[in-house]
Amino acid sequence: MTYRQKRYGDRWDGRHIRSLSPMTRVMSYIMPDRRGSTNYIHDSVEVSAVERYIRKKRMQGMKGFGIMHFFTATYVRVVSQKPGLNRYITNRELYARDNITVAITIKKELKLDAQETVLKLEYAPYATANDVYETLNREITANREEGDNNSIDDVARVLNYIPRPVLRAIIAFLRFLDNYNRMPRFLLKLSPFHVSCFFTSMGSLGIPPVFHHLYEFGNCPLFISYGPKRTEYQTMPDGSVQRRTYIDFTFTTDERICDGHYMSSALKSMHEIFRHPEMLDEPPESVVEDVD
């Protein structure tokens, strides 16, 4: 994102949007929390072109390149052109985030009792599929090493030892600091709740995508969940039957960050990338800046 000089009312991680219509601003007071302002979207996308693209990437030596890399790269590309997806609400005010950050939950091993951790990744709006692959794989490899704990795990471990009444007071105090842009920057950088988007894959578990809730702590405005591939046989206009492969996914969104038309346009852009995945091999020609 292009750096802009901070002004009064901006936050460390975002720029206060001042060009709101009166109704848009009032709605954040009518719906002050994410529980009452959440929309749920269920969609499916045909992935035959993506499967070919993934095979090509693996043949080019990108071992393990998969649908998570592709979904993440697609999200980053859409945000580079639809920056309204990268807004968030804090203390009833709307902000445009300064960067594109993604949180992903992974298990160290695919076992019921395996340790679970969260990766927080930052991407440039000009990132390609290759850039996303290198960053994501590097972090996944590092965090799946035996006995390895990342900084998010370390903070959670410290909080775990604090007595419940004290912990409840600490979290309330952190929420207060966050509302007034006084939370320490190192905690903002570590927090998986202060991100552009949270991804979760149900595909590896073989179950449909969940409608995941948005967290009240932090400012994450979007949760994307996707399931395993499924097959449909469709009758074509000429009477032939063709096999099609789909992936179902869900969006849980904070409706206060942008209107329905804007979200619809973003989803159409995502579908276009799934039809033409080679678009992700090159950076976008330009990056769209959000409104003031």
Side-chain angles (χ1 to χ4, degrees):
M1 301 290 183
T2 301
Y3 175 77
R4 296 190 184 186
Q5 185 69 35
K6 292 290 186 181
R7 298 177 291 179
Y8 179 78
D10 290 347
R11 290 171 53 86
W12 290 341
D13 59 349
R15 174 173 50 82
H16 186 210
I17 297 179
R18 295 164 170 82
S19 58
L20 295 175
S21 68
M23 179 57 71
T24 300
R25 188 165 189 269
V26 168
M27 288 304 290
S28 292
Y29 287 81
I30 294 173
M31 299 183 295
D33 57 36
R34 293 184 183 87
R35 285 170 296 185
S37 55
T38 300
N39 282 337
Y40 301 93
I41 303 171
H42 181 275
D43 202 357
S44 299
V45 64
E46 208 275 327
V47 294
S48 298
V50 175
E51 289 181 311
R52 292 191 294 270
Y53 183 77
I54 289 173
R55 287 194 295 268
K56 183 185 77 171
K57 288 296 184 184
R58 291 178 178 177
M59 290 176 63
Q60 293 174 351
M62 302 176 84
K63 182 180 178 182
F65 186 94
I67 197 67
M68 174 60 82
H69 301 94
F70 188 82
F71 249 112
T72 305
T74 299
Y75 169 76
V76 172
R77 180 59 52 86
V78 171
V79 169
S80 76
Q81 305 304 304
K82 309 288 184 185
L85 290 184
N86 203 18
R87 299 170 182 169
Y88 66 86
I89 298 282
T90 293
N91 202 22
R92 299 178 176 84
E93 296 293 340
L94 184 64
Y95 297 86
R97 197 181 303 275
D98 290 334
N99 52 21
I100 302 176
T101 49
V102 174
I104 299 173
T105 302
I106 66 167
K107 278 184 171 289
K108 305 273 187 179
E109 300 176 88
L110 199 57
K111 297 179 181 179
L112 288 177
D113 58 350
Q115 181 182 345
E116 190 174 79
T117 190
V118 178
L119 306 182
K120 184 174 180 178
L121 310 165
E122 182 174 339
Y123 295 104
Y126 289 97
T128 64
N130 289 22
D131 297 328
V132 169
Y133 170 83
E134 291 172 4
T135 301
L136 183 52
N137 266 32
R138 181 173 61 248
E139 293 299 318
I140 288 176
T141 299
N143 281 275
R144 279 183 171 164
E145 292 177 357
E146 186 91 29
D148 181 70
N149 295 292
N150 62 26
S151 299
I152 295 175
D153 296 329
D154 292 338
V155 172
R157 187 175 299 103
V158 170
L159 293 176
N160 184 57
Y161 288 118
I162 298 174
R164 283 183 295 175
V166 179
L167 179 58
R168 191 160 50 242
I170 289 175
I171 297 301
F173 182 59
L174 288 176
R175 183 178 284 112
F176 172 81
L177 292 179
D178 191 25
N179 280 343
Y180 294 97
N181 196 31
R182 292 294 182 267
M183 183 181 286
R185 295 194 192 189
F186 81 93
L187 285 180
L188 278 179
K189 290 188 68 175
L190 289 177
S191 170
F193 308 106
H194 294 78
V195 292
S196 308
C197 174
F198 215 116
F199 270 99
T200 184
S201 168
M202 302 290 102
S204 58
L205 305 178
I207 60 175
V210 299
F211 285 103
H212 201 287
H213 61 87
L214 295 176
Y215 298 108
E216 286 299 334
F217 184 80
N219 55 31
C220 178
L222 177 61
F223 216 110
I224 299 177
S225 173
Y226 64 90
K229 291 186 288 188
R230 60 179 177 82
T231 299
E232 285 188 9
Y233 290 91
Q234 297 181 344
T235 303
M236 309 308 291
D238 63 359
S240 63
V241 177
Q242 293 189 8
R243 181 178 180 270
R244 292 281 188 262
T245 303
Y246 288 85
I247 286 181
D248 298 320
F249 63 91
T250 62
F251 277 22
T252 304
T253 69
D254 186 338
E255 73 160 298
R256 299 171 296 175
I257 65 170
C258 60
D259 59 37
H261 181 268
Y262 196 99
M263 181 61 69
S264 173
S265 177
L267 282 171
K268 290 176 181 176
S269 297
M270 194 186 83
H271 276 264
E272 180 69 13
I273 295 173
F274 269 80
R275 287 192 295 269
H276 304 285
E278 64 280 355
M279 295 168 60
L280 298 177
D281 285 338
E282 300 293 334
E285 294 182 1
S286 62
V287 171
V288 178
E289 293 291 334
D290 207 345
V291 298
D292 286 329

